[in-house]
Amino acid sequence: MSDELNNGLDSKGFIVNPCPLDYLQPEFKSYLENTIQTLESTFENQLHSVYLYGSVARKCEKVCV
């Protein structure tokens, strides 16, 4: 496993984004968009970025029925 995948940072110390928003399945995209909207309204001009990690970001999640 590369260092980028190990610690989430690239060689310059920037956070690696393995999950562009258009990569998400529709079932999770709407949830994430709503979460971001809530965070933006809660933190107003204080929110810089939102990072998604885990099974949804890796596209190995299971949609529950």
Side-chain angles (χ1 to χ4, degrees):
M1 183 177 281
S2 74
D3 284 342
E4 285 185 10
L5 296 176
N6 237 356
N7 65 18
L9 303 177
D10 66 14
S11 62
K12 295 181 181 179
F14 292 103
I15 296 173
V16 176
N17 179 11
C19 180
L21 192 55
D22 59 347
Y23 184 75
L24 298 174
Q25 290 183 347
E27 298 88 351
F28 297 101
K29 188 174 181 177
S30 63
Y31 175 76
L32 182 60
E33 288 171 341
N34 289 336
T35 301
I36 291 170
Q37 192 173 43
T38 300
L39 289 168
E40 287 175 335
S41 66
T42 301
F43 295 104
E44 298 179 2
N45 296 329
Q46 299 174 34
L47 185 67
H48 178 271
S49 303
V50 174
Y51 296 92
L52 180 64
Y53 288 90
S55 60
V56 174
R58 291 189 311 268
K59 205 169 185 177
C60 61
E61 74 285 352
K62 294 180 183 176
V63 179
C64 297
V65 181

